[in-house]
Short mmCIF file of all heavy atoms in Angstrom, two decimals:
data_model
loop_
_atom_site.label_atom_id
_atom_site.label_comp_id
_atom_site.label_asym_id
_atom_site.label_seq_id
_atom_site.Cartn_x
_atom_site.Cartn_y
_atom_site.Cartn_z
N PRO O 24 53.01 -51.43 -18.06
CA PRO O 24 51.73 -50.84 -17.65
C PRO O 24 50.52 -51.74 -17.85
O PRO O 24 49.51 -51.57 -17.18
CB PRO O 24 51.63 -49.58 -18.51
CG PRO O 24 52.53 -49.82 -19.66
CD PRO O 24 53.59 -50.76 -19.19
N THR O 25 50.60 -52.73 -18.72
CA THR O 25 49.43 -53.55 -18.99
C THR O 25 49.53 -54.97 -18.46
O THR O 25 48.56 -55.71 -18.52
CB THR O 25 49.17 -53.63 -20.51
OG1 THR O 25 50.33 -54.20 -21.14
CG2 THR O 25 48.89 -52.26 -21.08
N SER O 26 50.66 -55.37 -17.93
CA SER O 26 50.79 -56.74 -17.43
C SER O 26 51.71 -56.78 -16.21
O SER O 26 52.43 -55.84 -15.92
CB SER O 26 51.35 -57.65 -18.52
OG SER O 26 52.68 -57.27 -18.84
N VAL O 27 51.65 -57.90 -15.54
CA VAL O 27 52.50 -58.12 -14.36
C VAL O 27 53.70 -58.95 -14.80
O VAL O 27 53.53 -59.95 -15.50
CB VAL O 27 51.71 -58.87 -13.27
CG1 VAL O 27 52.59 -59.19 -12.09
CG2 VAL O 27 50.50 -58.05 -12.84
N PRO O 28 54.93 -58.56 -14.42
CA PRO O 28 56.11 -59.34 -14.79
C PRO O 28 56.02 -60.76 -14.23
O PRO O 28 55.43 -60.99 -13.18
CB PRO O 28 57.27 -58.59 -14.15
CG PRO O 28 56.72 -57.35 -13.60
CD PRO O 28 55.25 -57.40 -13.63
N LYS O 29 56.61 -61.70 -14.93
CA LYS O 29 56.50 -63.10 -14.55
C LYS O 29 57.75 -63.60 -13.81
O LYS O 29 57.94 -64.80 -13.67
CB LYS O 29 56.23 -63.93 -15.78
CG LYS O 29 54.94 -63.52 -16.44
CD LYS O 29 54.50 -64.48 -17.47
CE LYS O 29 53.21 -64.18 -18.16
NZ LYS O 29 52.49 -63.00 -17.94
N TRP O 30 58.60 -62.71 -13.33
CA TRP O 30 59.77 -63.12 -12.57
C TRP O 30 59.68 -62.54 -11.17
O TRP O 30 58.96 -61.59 -10.92
CB TRP O 30 61.06 -62.69 -13.26
CG TRP O 30 61.20 -61.21 -13.42
CD1 TRP O 30 61.73 -60.34 -12.52
CD2 TRP O 30 60.76 -60.42 -14.51
NE1 TRP O 30 61.67 -59.06 -12.99
CE2 TRP O 30 61.06 -59.07 -14.22
CE3 TRP O 30 60.14 -60.69 -15.72
CZ2 TRP O 30 60.77 -58.03 -15.06
CZ3 TRP O 30 59.86 -59.63 -16.56
CH2 TRP O 30 60.18 -58.34 -16.24
N ARG O 31 60.45 -63.12 -10.30
CA ARG O 31 60.46 -62.67 -8.91
C ARG O 31 61.18 -61.35 -8.80
O ARG O 31 62.16 -61.09 -9.47
CB ARG O 31 61.14 -63.70 -8.03
CG ARG O 31 60.39 -64.98 -7.98
CD ARG O 31 61.07 -65.95 -7.03
NE ARG O 31 60.27 -67.16 -6.99
CZ ARG O 31 60.76 -68.37 -7.09
NH1 ARG O 31 62.05 -68.53 -7.20
NH2 ARG O 31 59.99 -69.41 -7.04
N GLN O 32 60.67 -60.51 -7.89
CA GLN O 32 61.28 -59.21 -7.63
C GLN O 32 61.47 -59.07 -6.13
O GLN O 32 60.71 -59.62 -5.34
CB GLN O 32 60.36 -58.09 -8.13
CG GLN O 32 60.04 -58.19 -9.59
CD GLN O 32 58.95 -57.20 -9.99
OE1 GLN O 32 58.41 -56.48 -9.17
NE2 GLN O 32 58.64 -57.17 -11.26
N CYS O 33 62.46 -58.29 -5.74
CA CYS O 33 62.65 -57.97 -4.33
C CYS O 33 61.98 -56.64 -4.04
O CYS O 33 62.17 -55.67 -4.77
CB CYS O 33 64.14 -57.88 -3.99
SG CYS O 33 64.95 -59.47 -3.97
N VAL O 34 61.20 -56.62 -2.98
CA VAL O 34 60.53 -55.38 -2.58
C VAL O 34 60.83 -55.13 -1.11
O VAL O 34 61.19 -56.05 -0.37
CB VAL O 34 58.99 -55.45 -2.81
CG1 VAL O 34 58.67 -55.57 -4.29
CG2 VAL O 34 58.38 -56.60 -2.04
N ALA O 35 60.70 -53.90 -0.70
CA ALA O 35 60.95 -53.54 0.70
C ALA O 35 60.00 -54.29 1.62
O ALA O 35 58.85 -54.55 1.28
CB ALA O 35 60.80 -52.04 0.89
N TYR O 36 60.49 -54.61 2.81
CA TYR O 36 59.72 -55.36 3.82
C TYR O 36 59.92 -54.61 5.13
O TYR O 36 60.93 -54.78 5.80
CB TYR O 36 60.27 -56.77 3.88
CG TYR O 36 59.42 -57.82 4.52
CD1 TYR O 36 58.04 -57.71 4.62
CD2 TYR O 36 60.01 -58.98 5.01
CE1 TYR O 36 57.28 -58.71 5.19
CE2 TYR O 36 59.26 -59.99 5.57
CZ TYR O 36 57.90 -59.86 5.65
OH TYR O 36 57.15 -60.86 6.21
N SER O 37 58.98 -53.78 5.50
CA SER O 37 59.15 -52.93 6.68
C SER O 37 59.18 -53.76 7.97
O SER O 37 58.67 -54.90 7.99
CB SER O 37 58.02 -51.90 6.76
OG SER O 37 56.81 -52.54 7.16
N VAL O 38 59.75 -53.22 9.00
CA VAL O 38 59.83 -53.90 10.29
C VAL O 38 58.42 -54.22 10.79
O VAL O 38 58.17 -55.30 11.33
CB VAL O 38 60.60 -53.03 11.32
CG1 VAL O 38 60.57 -53.67 12.69
CG2 VAL O 38 62.03 -52.83 10.86
N VAL O 39 57.49 -53.32 10.59
CA VAL O 39 56.11 -53.55 11.02
C VAL O 39 55.53 -54.78 10.29
O VAL O 39 54.90 -55.64 10.91
CB VAL O 39 55.24 -52.30 10.76
CG1 VAL O 39 53.77 -52.59 10.99
CG2 VAL O 39 55.70 -51.15 11.65
N GLU O 40 55.76 -54.88 8.98
CA GLU O 40 55.28 -56.03 8.22
C GLU O 40 55.95 -57.32 8.68
O GLU O 40 55.30 -58.36 8.79
CB GLU O 40 55.53 -55.85 6.73
CG GLU O 40 54.68 -54.80 6.06
CD GLU O 40 55.07 -54.62 4.60
OE1 GLU O 40 56.25 -54.36 4.32
OE2 GLU O 40 54.15 -54.75 3.77
N VAL O 41 57.26 -57.27 8.94
CA VAL O 41 57.99 -58.45 9.40
C VAL O 41 57.39 -58.95 10.72
O VAL O 41 57.11 -60.14 10.89
CB VAL O 41 59.49 -58.15 9.57
CG1 VAL O 41 60.20 -59.30 10.26
CG2 VAL O 41 60.14 -57.86 8.23
N LEU O 42 57.19 -58.03 11.66
CA LEU O 42 56.66 -58.42 12.96
C LEU O 42 55.24 -58.95 12.87
O LEU O 42 54.88 -59.92 13.52
CB LEU O 42 56.74 -57.25 13.94
CG LEU O 42 58.16 -56.88 14.37
CD1 LEU O 42 58.16 -55.58 15.17
CD2 LEU O 42 58.81 -57.99 15.16
#
Side-chain angles (χ1 to χ4, degrees):
T25 59
S26 66
V27 176
K29 300 192 178 5
W30 62 88
R31 295 183 178 133
Q32 302 171 357
C33 288
V34 296
Y36 198 23
S37 74
V38 174
V39 171
E40 290 176 304
V41 171
L42 290 171

